Amino acid sequence: MKSEWSAIFRHPSLLMVLLAIPLIYPPTVSYLYMNDSAYERPTLLIDQDNSALSRSLITALDATKELRIVDRPSTVEKGFDAIKKRKAEVLFFIPSDFSSKIKRGRQGTVKLWVNTANVFTYGSALPGVYAVVGTYNARLNASFLMKNGIPPESAADRVQPLAVDDRLLFHPSAAYGDFVVPGILLIVLQQLMLIGMAFSVGLQRKEGDFAEDHPHPVLYMLGKILGQYVFYLFGLVLILGVFMPSFGWSITSYATTTVLFTLFIVTMTPMVMAVSNLFKDNFASFEYLMFISTPVFLGSGFTWPFDMMPGHVQAVMSIFPATPVLQAFRITSMRQAGVAILEPWLWWMALQFLAWSLLAWFAIRRPWRNFRIGNRPIVHPSEPSAAGVPTEVTK
């Protein structure tokens, strides 16, 4: 551990890696999603009816937080052209016979086009339109019944005999930023551990400071990673204690979330020991480890059902500690979800810890030490050449 602390403060590049990842990534991601949800999506309106009924409907549409009327093209073709040029995302069309059909007791029709290229825009704009049209529909029906002598209370019951009481369980805020950012921040912790340790091992190995012939190589690697624990805990404190409250990301239980994230760091420890031992130099650690964050996040089952993925993908993703932790983290967003309800995922993490510990032991032992990723030579000061200077040995 003392050796690792010495290496951290002796190499500014290593210290920068350990500080930059927790200091830069969390606020950057939070700033990107600080609006939290898609609202006031730019909407185009074509009103060929231009009646009191159509104007009333337009006023209701423009009053919703999901839509914002930005233009009124003269034709549908011009509206499509504006959507293609990304000037708008929704096109709402009211035909010329809209009010006349309703006044004759027939069904009036409106047309709606929504650009679904961004699924979250689609998920915001379409429900907003449905809510306005549904409310407007109920008001027209109630008005018709009251004109025929039915009391307002009875008219409302006839128009809407069934009332739906929605209860959002695992994502109460229904906002995209509030949902996705905490999961990304967990991946930031993962990358801090993997890249920080692999960078340290690769840097020391390249400069000949790594104890290749240590009598207890597993304990040596464990001591190195424990030496970096202060930075992992520093990142954890920044994420849960500074950035999440500062940007308003909701956590139902800070105690449960802290326990879950801390267990994640512990579970990652043997994995980091095994993986970081594979790199010859610090450059190779960046070249390979920077690319695993997105696949691990997407394959964890956090944003897409885990059982809908191919079987071999599920098998591969099951070995990463982020998978059970992110799935468990979704449960903690439900009210009154304590640690006890997370027992299946905690057992999953325990099995991962044991499996990665065994793999780390094999990966660090001498028979496996000839396999290294990277093209940099390893310098061993302890192996002098005939001229009395360190010899470069490429493994």
Side-chain angles (χ1 to χ4, degrees), residues 200-214:
S200 173
V201 172
L203 182 63
Q204 293 181 52
R205 181 172 279 134
K206 184 180 70 171
E207 297 188 353
D209 294 334
F210 188 81
E212 295 283 354
D213 298 319
H214 196 279

Side-chain angles (χ1 to χ4, degrees), residues 199-239:
F199 191 93
S200 173
V201 172
L203 182 63
Q204 293 181 52
R205 181 172 279 134
K206 184 180 70 171
E207 297 188 353
D209 294 334
F210 188 81
E212 295 283 354
D213 298 319
H214 196 279
H216 303 288
V218 176
L219 293 180
Y220 174 69
M221 285 294 297
L222 180 60
K224 285 179 65 63
I225 194 171
L226 291 178
Q228 290 193 7
Y229 252 55
V230 62
F231 294 94
Y232 307 156
L233 298 178
F234 172 68
L236 179 64
V237 171
L238 280 180
I239 289 172

Side-chain angles (χ1 to χ4, degrees), residues 255-264 325 328-329 332 342 346 349:
T256 303
T257 304
T258 302
V259 169
L260 192 60
F261 276 49
T262 304
L263 290 177
F264 171 71
V325 176
F329 183 69
T332 62
L342 304 179
L346 296 179
M349 294 166 62

Side-chain angles (χ1 to χ4, degrees), residues 103-243:
K103 290 177 181 178
R104 294 198 304 267
R106 297 175 58 190
Q107 187 180 59
T109 303
V110 296
K111 294 183 179 181
L112 174 70
W113 291 269
V114 181
N115 184 0
T116 61
N118 188 321
V119 67
F120 303 105
T121 291
Y122 169 75
S124 172
L126 189 61
V129 172
Y130 279 167
V132 170
V133 172
T135 302
Y136 196 78
N137 225 354
R139 192 176 70 183
L140 288 175
N141 287 333
S143 177
F144 175 79
L145 292 174
M146 285 187 291
K147 287 180 180 179
N148 286 274
I150 298 177
E153 296 80 6
S154 299
D157 292 338
R158 290 194 182 187
V159 169
Q160 194 175 6
L162 295 177
V164 179
D165 186 8
D166 293 331
R167 304 294 177 92
L168 302 178
L169 293 178
F170 297 106
H171 182 29
S173 65
Y176 181 65
D178 200 28
F179 164 68
V180 75
V181 169
I184 296 177
L185 297 186
L186 182 86
I187 299 298
V188 171
L189 272 180
Q190 170 191 278
Q191 295 303 93
L192 170 63
M193 297 183 69
L194 285 174
I195 295 177
M197 193 61 201
F199 191 93
S200 173
V201 172
L203 182 63
Q204 293 181 52
R205 181 172 279 134
K206 184 180 70 171
E207 297 188 353
D209 294 334
F210 188 81
E212 295 283 354
D213 298 319
H214 196 279
H216 303 288
V218 176
L219 293 180
Y220 174 69
M221 285 294 297
L222 180 60
K224 285 179 65 63
I225 194 171
L226 291 178
Q228 290 193 7
Y229 252 55
V230 62
F231 294 94
Y232 307 156
L233 298 178
F234 172 68
L236 179 64
V237 171
L238 280 180
I239 289 172
L240 296 184
V242 178
F243 295 123

